[in-house]
């Protein structure tokens, strides 16, 4: 009898696995079928949702634990997702849009260029918000206390009332993990993290709370505010842009409605300069780019220089908010067909290329 499984291949990446002959008799055979249908080349193991443990993911050791319509997850042994999967979470894609003057239908997101370019910019954040937020591994002392509380919960059903020190340590780790995806998480994001926490550690549920995590949500919001202060003090550009000294002269105080932060789906909002580069060196690259853009059949060199000056250009857009005409005169390469196409979806890119060919 045929069976169908939902296979989670990565963050925001799941597919349907059709098994015409039903669930295989062994995990190895199932792994071979997954490799064949999805073209996976890296080593991995499998986990499945166990209904006996509140749908927590458990290691799959026998196919008798799953059935038709079950969900299984691929865990890569090298902690990375293979590049052969076409719909994995974005790592580093060459695309840039300008929120000041792009069409409303286009995303106002800046994403770093492909990692195969030696002059690509670098950034600490290259991932979207995960479908299931991963609770990080805590320090040994915190993990020891949680493990002991887990045993007490399983034996007596006792909920843990964490000490201020333990709760602070947990929140510190969660804030650090959140910052890998967003420095300014929304209320929905905070809700995801709090629910993931009590799902993994059910003994951390709060008595008297409807969801069991209302207090954790409030604490996380304050912790993220404090964490942003820490990041601002060490010079994180994405947070420092919202401080008073970065405001224009006519803005006497940082207004709430003028806070510059990523919008939905944005990843690299304000990346740091590449290692070894400064504002002066990248400005020199911009001047060289003005010369290169006047030459013909020079797209590859232009692309390399555009990749290298990504952070410089992005800061100009965010911090100075120039007029379109002024920005176009400083970055004419950005308005050429190859660079415009990098900002478009595959469908729109095809339309643009077709029009260019017709014009020729």
């Amino acid at each position: 009898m045929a069976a169908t499984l939902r296979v989670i291949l990565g963050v925001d990446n799941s597919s349907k696995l059709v098994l015409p002959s039903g669930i295989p008799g062994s995990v190895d055979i199932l792994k071979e079928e997954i490799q064949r249908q999805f073209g996976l080349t890296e080593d991995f193991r499998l986990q499945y949702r166990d209904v006996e443990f509140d749908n927590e993911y458990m290691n799959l050791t026998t196919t008798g634990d799953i059935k038709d319509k079950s969900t299984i997850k691929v865990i890569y042994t090298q902690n990375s997702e293979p590049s052969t999967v076409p719909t994995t979470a974005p790592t580093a894609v060459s695309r840039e849009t300008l929120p000041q003057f792009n069409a409303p239908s286009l995303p106002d997101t800046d994403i770093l260029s492909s990692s195969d370019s030696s002059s690509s910019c670098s950034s600490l954040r290259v991932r979207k918000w995960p479908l299931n937020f991963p609770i990080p591994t805590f320090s040994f002392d915190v993990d020891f206390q949680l493990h002991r509380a887990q045993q007490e919960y399983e034996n007596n059903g006792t909920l843990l009332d964490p000490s201020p020190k333990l709760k602070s340590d947990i929140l510190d780790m969660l804030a650090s993990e959140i910052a890998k995806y967003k420095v300014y998480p929304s209320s929905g994001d905070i809700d995801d993290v709090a629910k993931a926490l009590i799902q993994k550690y059910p003994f951390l549920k709060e008595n008297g709370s409807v969801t069991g995590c209302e207090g954790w949500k409030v604490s996380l919001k304050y912790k993220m505010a404090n964490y942003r202060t820490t990041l601002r003090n060490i010079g994180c550009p994405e947070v420092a842009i919202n401080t008073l000294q970065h405001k224009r002269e006519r803005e006497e105080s940082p207004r709430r409605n003028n806070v510059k932060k990523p919008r939905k789906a944005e990843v690299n909002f304000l990346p740091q300069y590449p290692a070894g580069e400064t504002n002066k060196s990248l400005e020199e690259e911009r001047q060289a780019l003005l010369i290169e853009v006047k030459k013909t059949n020079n797209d590859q060199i232009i692309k390399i220089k555009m990749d290298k000056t990504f952070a410089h250009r992005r800061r100009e857009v965010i911090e100075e908010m120039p007029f379109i005409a002024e920005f176009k005169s400083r970055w004419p390469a950005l308005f050429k067909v190859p660079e415009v196409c990098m900002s478009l979806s595959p469908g729109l890119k095809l339309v643009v290329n077709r029009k260019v060919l017709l014009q020729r």
Side-chain angles (χ1 to χ4, degrees):
M1 180 179 179
T4 304
L5 300 177
R6 175 174 176 257
V7 182
I8 298 177
L9 299 168
V11 180
D12 293 338
N13 181 23
S14 59
S15 298
K16 182 190 296 184
L17 176 68
V18 179
L19 302 169
S21 301
I23 305 294
S26 70
V27 176
D28 289 337
I29 298 176
L30 178 59
K31 288 175 63 177
E32 291 176 0
E33 187 63 22
I34 292 175
Q35 288 176 323
R36 186 186 67 82
Q37 292 198 28
F38 302 116
L40 304 185
T41 58
E42 296 189 5
D43 293 332
F44 64 90
R45 56 188 174 88
L46 297 175
Q47 291 186 337
Y48 73 102
R49 286 185 183 273
D50 194 329
V51 295
E52 295 181 358
F53 292 92
D54 297 326
N55 284 325
E56 281 282 338
Y57 281 103
M58 309 290 287
N59 292 332
L60 181 65
T61 57
T62 172
T63 55
D65 291 329
I66 58 176
K67 57 183 179 180
D68 186 32
K69 301 298 190 298
S70 290
T71 296
I72 58 177
K73 180 191 288 187
V74 172
I75 306 296
Y76 301 96
T77 56
Q78 299 298 323
N79 296 323
S80 62
E81 297 174 2
S83 57
T84 54
V85 182
T87 54
T88 52
T91 53
V93 183
S94 178
R95 186 177 71 174
E96 175 180 356
T97 59
L98 301 174
Q100 281 73 16
F101 46 79
N102 267 358
S105 60
L106 299 180
D108 53 354
T109 306
D110 281 37
I111 300 181
L112 290 185
S113 60
S114 175
S115 57
D116 59 1
S117 173
S118 59
S119 52
S120 296
C121 303
S122 60
S123 176
L124 298 178
R125 187 177 301 112
V126 293
R127 294 177 290 179
K128 295 191 303 181
W129 187 260
L131 183 63
N132 299 307
F133 189 86
I135 300 300
T137 301
F138 298 110
S139 60
F140 176 79
D141 60 314
V142 173
D143 193 56
F144 177 80
Q145 295 178 72
L146 294 179
H147 179 70
R148 188 171 57 184
Q150 176 72 35
Q151 292 179 327
E152 186 70 20
Y153 176 75
E154 292 176 354
N155 294 333
N156 306 317
T158 305
L159 298 179
L160 175 66
D161 183 14
S163 65
K165 174 66 166 61
L166 177 59
K167 186 171 184 178
S168 178
D169 289 343
I170 293 174
L171 293 172
D172 283 338
M173 285 298 298
L174 292 177
S176 179
E177 189 70 17
I178 291 172
K180 294 179 181 178
Y181 303 92
K182 292 183 179 181
V183 178
Y184 293 92
S186 65
S187 296
D189 297 332
I190 294 294
D191 188 57
D192 290 343
V193 178
K195 288 181 178 178
L197 178 66
I198 64 171
Q199 184 178 15
K200 184 173 183 178
Y201 302 108
F203 52 86
L204 289 177
K205 290 181 180 178
E206 301 160 327
N207 285 317
S209 173
V210 177
T211 61
C213 61
E214 292 300 323
W216 285 106
K217 289 165 59 177
V218 174
S219 298
L220 271 173
K221 289 180 181 179
Y222 282 106
K223 179 60 69 173
M224 283 305 301
N226 293 335
Y227 194 74
R228 283 193 293 270
T229 300
T230 301
L231 294 178
R232 181 195 64 200
N233 292 337
I234 62 177
C236 178
E238 192 172 350
V239 183
I241 185 65
N242 294 314
T243 58
L244 181 60
Q245 55 266 36
H246 281 83
K247 297 299 175 182
R248 295 184 175 184
E249 295 181 359
R250 62 176 179 272
E251 297 176 340
E252 298 179 355
S253 62
R255 297 175 296 175
R256 182 177 298 273
N257 62 352
N258 199 37
V259 172
K260 297 179 175 63
K261 59 184 180 180
R263 299 183 183 182
K264 184 177 180 181
E266 283 186 329
V267 180
N268 294 302
F269 179 70
L270 195 58
Q272 299 189 37
Y273 286 159
E277 299 292 347
T278 63
N279 182 73
K280 181 179 180 181
S281 65
L282 292 180
E283 179 62 20
E284 292 174 353
E285 283 290 335
R286 186 191 70 80
Q287 295 288 349
L289 187 59
L290 292 177
I291 299 175
E292 296 295 338
V293 79
K294 297 177 181 179
K295 301 177 183 179
T296 58
N297 300 322
N298 205 25
D299 290 344
Q300 187 58 33
I301 295 179
I302 291 175
K303 180 182 182 302
I304 293 174
K305 289 187 176 296
M306 288 293 285
D307 289 347
K308 188 174 183 179
T309 55
F310 175 87
H312 185 53
R313 183 167 57 257
R314 182 60 174 166
R315 290 196 181 193
E316 184 175 319
V317 171
I318 297 299
E319 296 179 356
E320 300 178 16
M321 295 184 292
F323 291 107
I324 300 175
E326 177 187 355
F327 192 81
K328 187 174 181 179
S329 65
R330 287 177 56 81
W331 302 96
L334 188 60
F335 297 83
K336 285 183 167 292
V337 173
E339 291 294 326
V340 171
C341 285
M342 290 181 184
S343 307
L344 305 179
S345 64
L348 287 175
K349 189 180 298 185
L350 181 62
V351 172
V352 171
N353 289 334
R354 186 176 299 172
K355 288 185 176 179
V356 171
L357 290 174
L358 291 176
Q359 289 177 356
R360 291 178 179 175

